[in-house]
Amino acid sequence: MRRPGGWWRRKNTPEKVETYTRWSFHFFGVCEIGGIGLSTYGQVGPGLATVLSLMVVVHAAVCMATASRALDWTLGRRPWPARRLWTLGAVTALLAIAAMALVEHGPRGSEADSAALGVFVGVQGFGVGVLALGVHDRRRRVMGLVVGFSAGAGLVAFALGLSWLAALITACALVVGGAFLAFTAVFSVWLLKAVYALDEARETRARLAVAEERLRFGRDLHDVMGRNLAVIALKSELAVQLSRRGRPEAVEQMIEAQRIAQESQREVRDVVRGYREVDLEVELAGARGVLSAAGIVAEVTGETSGLPAEVQSALGWVVREATTNVLRHGDAKRVAVAVRKSEGRVVLTVENDGVLDGTGPSADADAPAGAGGSGLAGLRERLSVVDGTLEAGTVRKGVFRVTAEVPLPPHTPATREVAP
């Protein structure tokens, strides 16, 4: 059974911001109903208040539906909702005219006029705010939209009987209210798009970091094979020439080429399976660089030098695999790597935040070791060679930790602090 609020925790940061933005626009509709529609019950009788409230409810519902579709358009998920925008503009204009008609031809009294005039200004203000979401070149056109509705409201109010001063005040009130709601809506959409752009840039940096790691692997493989293949080619060519001349040295050259080829096979297997000796400090520096390139704060502390080569190799692979998992899973902002000696053992911990429900490095825990090993299962296999152990799991909400322990042989030389 899923825990309450689990659907929220499963969202990444841009999705949370998008949900918050959508709720904000729907909350605008709730504010319109409560602040304009229901407030009329305290100003006029139940009959007129019900009519005015129903007008506001209809307008708020159209605003909510239009805002949702316009937000999808701004995020590039739907085509421009022209029909919905025209519908909202028409509904806003008709309800505003109806409210102003009630001011002039409805029940008399200052409270009734005030309630109807509040609906007249309110529906246009909220309508302009939502219509701004569907405007292309926003800055000038949004201002034009606000000024156009305000001028139209003043003219309609004057045409239906309001004095020129009252019509001017109504237009100015709509300019202020409409501009505030319009630019609030535009800013919310700009902020949402900026969050998505930043998240996309972060993913791009992560992919580039992984690509850089692959290039490093390619360089290692080239270093192993390039020279050996060149020597094999030269030895083989020399053997051919000697053989054509009937020289007995041709056999020695072929034997040497065979030896180099067998040595190359072994070295390639070592590279692919990660059994080459690794300098732990180099791996820590590489992890720091890869994580920083992905926009993640990396803190590396502890002791590295003086450890046996086989221990450094095993722990170096843990650092490499844990770094890859951080880039592939979750939404980490900070990673802490610590190496310390404790009671004849060296302990390596890699801790990261931003783990989402159902994801994270634990997803690799049961990955098959296969050829060369993969995931946490492969790490346990490598550590078992040096009698080491590995623990991985969530230590607290949103935080994942990988802990590797390897026993040290007696009389291990003193170690030094890793450079920050």
Side-chain angles (χ1 to χ4, degrees):
M1 182 177 180
R2 293 180 177 176
R3 294 175 295 177
W7 66 275
W8 177 260
R9 287 191 295 271
R10 286 191 295 273
K11 293 178 178 289
N12 57 30
T13 299
E15 290 172 345
K16 289 179 179 179
V17 175
E18 180 182 347
T19 302
Y20 171 79
T21 303
R22 289 184 183 275
W23 286 359
S24 297
F25 289 130
H26 292 319
F27 185 68
F28 280 178
V30 175
C31 290
E32 182 180 5
I33 295 172
I36 300 175
L38 298 181
S39 64
T40 59
Y41 281 95
Q43 299 175 279
V44 297
L48 180 59
T50 300
V51 172
L52 294 174
S53 295
L54 288 176
M55 293 168 59
V56 173
V57 168
V58 170
H59 185 263
V62 176
C63 283
M64 291 180 185
T66 305
S68 179
R69 189 62 64 88
L71 189 59
D72 287 339
W73 167 71
T74 59
L75 295 176
R77 299 172 184 169
R78 291 178 181 270
W80 185 50
R83 182 176 299 178
R84 287 183 180 269
L85 293 171
W86 280 108
T87 299
L88 175 59
V91 170
T92 300
L94 290 175
L95 292 178
I97 293 173
M100 184 54 65
L102 288 175
V103 173
E104 294 300 319
H105 306 291
R108 309 308 301 173
S110 59
E111 293 183 350
D113 292 347
S114 177
L117 194 59
V119 172
F120 174 76
V121 175
V123 296
Q124 292 188 85
F126 281 98
V128 168
V130 175
L131 286 172
L133 294 175
V135 175
H136 293 275
D137 185 18
R138 286 201 170 102
R139 181 177 299 178
R140 295 182 178 180
R141 295 190 179 184
V142 168
M143 184 58 69
L145 182 68
V146 172
V147 173
F149 258 89
S150 301
L155 292 175
V156 170
F158 182 75
L160 291 179
L162 261 66
S163 65
W164 68 269
L165 181 59
L168 179 62
I169 293 174
T170 300
C172 291
L174 185 54
V175 167
V176 175
F180 173 77
L181 292 172
F183 284 101
T184 298
V186 171
F187 177 77
S188 298
V189 171
W190 174 84
L191 181 62
L192 176 60
K193 294 176 73 173
V195 170
Y196 268 110
L198 289 174
D199 185 70
E200 183 178 354
R202 175 187 172 277
E203 291 181 356
T204 301
R205 288 196 300 268
R207 288 195 295 268
L208 290 174
V210 173
E212 180 64 26
E213 181 66 18
R214 290 176 178 173
L215 288 175
R216 188 179 71 150
F217 174 82
R219 288 193 297 268
D220 289 346
L221 192 61
H222 178 269
D223 291 342
V224 170
M225 293 299 296
R227 180 184 62 83
N228 290 353
L229 289 176
V231 174
I232 290 173
L234 290 174
K235 294 285 186 181
S236 300
E237 184 179 355
L238 179 58
V240 170
Q241 296 297 330
L242 293 174
S243 178
R244 287 176 177 173
R245 297 174 185 176
R247 301 284 296 276
E249 292 89 343
V251 176
E252 296 178 1
Q253 295 298 327
M254 291 303 300
I255 293 175
E256 182 66 12
Q258 183 183 31
R259 184 192 65 79
I260 296 174
Q262 292 172 345
E263 182 70 14
S264 298
Q265 287 180 323
R266 184 188 64 79
E267 291 181 351
V268 168
R269 284 194 298 268
D270 290 345
V271 171
V272 173
R273 295 182 180 179
Y275 290 149
R276 292 175 67 193
E277 292 186 356
V278 175
D279 184 273
L280 181 56
E281 187 170 357
V282 172
E283 288 300 322
L284 292 173
R288 185 191 292 115
V290 168
L291 293 171
S292 298
I296 301 173
V297 177
E299 300 177 1
V300 180
T301 59
E303 306 168 336
T304 59
S305 65
L307 298 175
E310 62 274 11
V311 173
Q312 289 206 36
S313 179
L315 294 181
W317 190 260
V318 173
V319 172
R320 187 181 301 179
E321 184 70 23
T323 302
T324 302
N325 282 334
V326 169
L327 295 173
R328 290 175 55 194
H329 304 289
D331 188 19
K333 299 294 186 298
R334 175 183 173 275
V335 176
V337 183
V339 183
R340 70 182 190 277
K341 294 179 67 175
S342 175
E343 299 179 356
R345 303 176 68 86
V346 59
V347 181
L348 168 71
T349 60
V350 182
E351 183 175 295
N352 67 279
D353 60 4
V355 177
L356 307 178
D357 289 352
T359 65
S362 57
D364 282 343
D366 298 325
S374 62
L376 302 183
L379 293 182
R380 291 189 177 94
E381 206 173 75
R382 286 185 172 86
L383 290 170
S384 65
V385 176
V386 290
D387 297 326
T389 61
L390 182 76
E391 295 182 0
T394 303
V395 292
R396 56 184 180 275
K397 183 179 179 181
V399 177
F400 191 88
R401 179 186 296 164
V402 175
T403 303
E405 294 188 13
V406 178
L408 291 173
H411 309 298
T412 299
T415 57
R416 59 178 172 86
E417 292 288 328
V418 65

